[in-house]
Short mmCIF file of all heavy atoms in Angstrom, two decimals:
data_model
loop_
_atom_site.label_atom_id
_atom_site.label_comp_id
_atom_site.label_asym_id
_atom_site.label_seq_id
_atom_site.Cartn_x
_atom_site.Cartn_y
_atom_site.Cartn_z
N LYS A 12 50.66 -20.20 56.87
CA LYS A 12 51.10 -19.93 55.50
C LYS A 12 50.02 -20.29 54.49
O LYS A 12 49.78 -19.58 53.51
CB LYS A 12 52.38 -20.71 55.22
CG LYS A 12 52.98 -20.41 53.83
CD LYS A 12 54.26 -21.16 53.67
CE LYS A 12 54.87 -20.88 52.30
NZ LYS A 12 56.15 -21.61 52.13
N SER A 26 39.29 -10.05 42.03
CA SER A 26 39.74 -8.99 41.12
C SER A 26 39.49 -9.38 39.67
O SER A 26 39.07 -8.58 38.85
CB SER A 26 41.24 -8.73 41.32
OG SER A 26 41.49 -8.30 42.64
N SER A 34 34.56 -5.36 31.86
CA SER A 34 34.82 -5.44 30.42
C SER A 34 33.62 -5.93 29.65
O SER A 34 33.52 -5.71 28.47
CB SER A 34 36.01 -6.39 30.15
OG SER A 34 35.68 -7.71 30.55
N GLU A 36 30.51 -4.95 30.14
CA GLU A 36 29.46 -3.96 30.02
C GLU A 36 29.56 -3.28 28.66
O GLU A 36 30.57 -2.73 28.30
CB GLU A 36 29.60 -2.92 31.13
CG GLU A 36 29.29 -3.50 32.53
CD GLU A 36 29.40 -2.43 33.61
OE1 GLU A 36 29.68 -1.28 33.23
OE2 GLU A 36 29.21 -2.75 34.78
N ASP A 42 -7.58 19.26 7.65
CA ASP A 42 -7.85 19.06 6.21
C ASP A 42 -7.74 20.37 5.43
O ASP A 42 -8.28 21.39 5.85
CB ASP A 42 -9.27 18.49 6.05
CG ASP A 42 -9.50 17.99 4.65
OD1 ASP A 42 -8.95 18.56 3.70
OD2 ASP A 42 -10.23 17.04 4.52
N SER A 49 -17.51 21.30 -1.81
CA SER A 49 -16.39 21.66 -2.67
C SER A 49 -16.76 21.63 -4.13
O SER A 49 -15.92 21.51 -4.98
CB SER A 49 -15.23 20.71 -2.40
OG SER A 49 -15.62 19.41 -2.67
N THR A 83 -23.80 21.22 -7.79
CA THR A 83 -24.91 20.32 -7.44
C THR A 83 -25.34 20.44 -5.99
O THR A 83 -26.30 19.81 -5.58
CB THR A 83 -24.49 18.86 -7.68
OG1 THR A 83 -23.37 18.59 -6.84
CG2 THR A 83 -24.12 18.63 -9.13
N GLY A 106 5.77 6.54 6.46
CA GLY A 106 6.28 5.22 6.14
C GLY A 106 7.62 5.00 6.80
O GLY A 106 8.36 5.95 7.04
N TYR A 136 -15.90 19.78 -27.30
CA TYR A 136 -15.79 20.20 -25.90
C TYR A 136 -14.50 19.71 -25.23
O TYR A 136 -14.32 19.91 -24.03
CB TYR A 136 -17.01 19.72 -25.11
CG TYR A 136 -18.28 20.39 -25.56
CD1 TYR A 136 -19.11 19.76 -26.50
CD2 TYR A 136 -18.64 21.64 -25.08
CE1 TYR A 136 -20.27 20.38 -26.94
CE2 TYR A 136 -19.79 22.26 -25.51
CZ TYR A 136 -20.61 21.63 -26.44
OH TYR A 136 -21.74 22.25 -26.86
N ALA A 141 -3.93 24.10 -17.30
CA ALA A 141 -2.52 23.98 -16.94
C ALA A 141 -2.17 25.01 -15.89
O ALA A 141 -2.68 26.14 -15.92
CB ALA A 141 -1.62 24.16 -18.17
N ASP A 142 -1.30 24.64 -14.95
CA ASP A 142 -0.79 25.60 -13.96
C ASP A 142 0.71 25.44 -13.87
O ASP A 142 1.25 24.33 -14.03
CB ASP A 142 -1.44 25.36 -12.60
CG ASP A 142 -1.44 26.61 -11.75
OD1 ASP A 142 -0.85 27.62 -12.18
OD2 ASP A 142 -2.02 26.59 -10.65
N PRO A 158 -7.06 17.84 -7.22
CA PRO A 158 -8.44 17.76 -6.72
C PRO A 158 -9.45 18.23 -7.75
O PRO A 158 -9.20 19.19 -8.49
CB PRO A 158 -8.42 18.70 -5.50
CG PRO A 158 -6.97 18.91 -5.18
CD PRO A 158 -6.25 18.80 -6.48
N PRO A 220 9.66 7.97 -10.79
CA PRO A 220 9.83 9.40 -10.58
C PRO A 220 10.71 10.03 -11.67
O PRO A 220 11.72 9.45 -12.08
CB PRO A 220 10.49 9.48 -9.21
CG PRO A 220 10.00 8.25 -8.50
CD PRO A 220 9.94 7.19 -9.56
N THR A 227 10.54 26.90 -15.18
CA THR A 227 9.09 26.94 -15.09
C THR A 227 8.50 25.79 -15.87
O THR A 227 8.83 25.59 -17.05
CB THR A 227 8.54 28.28 -15.62
OG1 THR A 227 9.06 29.35 -14.82
CG2 THR A 227 7.01 28.30 -15.55
N TRP A 233 -6.04 15.61 -17.35
CA TRP A 233 -7.36 15.53 -17.95
C TRP A 233 -7.87 14.09 -17.91
O TRP A 233 -7.10 13.14 -17.85
CB TRP A 233 -7.38 16.06 -19.38
CG TRP A 233 -6.66 15.23 -20.40
CD1 TRP A 233 -7.19 14.31 -21.26
CD2 TRP A 233 -5.24 15.24 -20.68
NE1 TRP A 233 -6.22 13.74 -22.05
CE2 TRP A 233 -5.01 14.30 -21.72
CE3 TRP A 233 -4.16 15.94 -20.17
CZ2 TRP A 233 -3.74 14.06 -22.22
CZ3 TRP A 233 -2.90 15.71 -20.68
CH2 TRP A 233 -2.70 14.78 -21.69
N GLN A 258 -3.84 28.47 -17.11
CA GLN A 258 -4.20 28.57 -18.52
C GLN A 258 -5.30 27.58 -18.90
O GLN A 258 -5.39 26.48 -18.35
CB GLN A 258 -2.97 28.30 -19.39
CG GLN A 258 -1.81 29.26 -19.14
CD GLN A 258 -2.08 30.64 -19.70
OE1 GLN A 258 -2.46 30.79 -20.87
NE2 GLN A 258 -1.86 31.67 -18.88
N THR A 295 10.31 9.86 -1.17
CA THR A 295 9.65 8.56 -1.08
C THR A 295 8.30 8.77 -0.44
O THR A 295 8.20 8.98 0.76
CB THR A 295 10.49 7.58 -0.25
OG1 THR A 295 11.80 7.50 -0.82
CG2 THR A 295 9.85 6.19 -0.26
N CYS A 296 7.25 8.77 -1.25
CA CYS A 296 5.92 9.16 -0.78
C CYS A 296 4.95 8.01 -0.86
O CYS A 296 5.01 7.17 -1.75
CB CYS A 296 5.40 10.32 -1.62
SG CYS A 296 6.45 11.79 -1.62
N GLY A 368 2.58 -17.35 -3.36
CA GLY A 368 2.69 -18.32 -4.44
C GLY A 368 1.63 -19.41 -4.29
O GLY A 368 0.93 -19.48 -3.28
N ASP A 474 17.37 -27.92 31.81
CA ASP A 474 16.56 -26.70 31.88
C ASP A 474 15.81 -26.69 33.21
O ASP A 474 14.67 -27.14 33.28
CB ASP A 474 15.58 -26.66 30.70
CG ASP A 474 14.82 -25.33 30.63
OD1 ASP A 474 15.03 -24.48 31.50
OD2 ASP A 474 13.99 -25.17 29.70
N THR A 480 9.52 -23.99 37.78
CA THR A 480 8.50 -22.97 37.49
C THR A 480 7.32 -23.53 36.70
O THR A 480 6.19 -23.51 37.16
CB THR A 480 9.13 -21.81 36.72
OG1 THR A 480 10.27 -21.31 37.44
CG2 THR A 480 8.12 -20.67 36.53
#
Side-chain angles (χ1 to χ4, degrees):
K12 184 177 180 180
S26 299
S34 65
E36 292 182 1
D42 192 327
S49 60
T83 61
Y136 294 95
D142 205 355
T227 299
W233 70 97
Q258 301 287 310
T295 305
C296 302
D474 186 359
T480 306

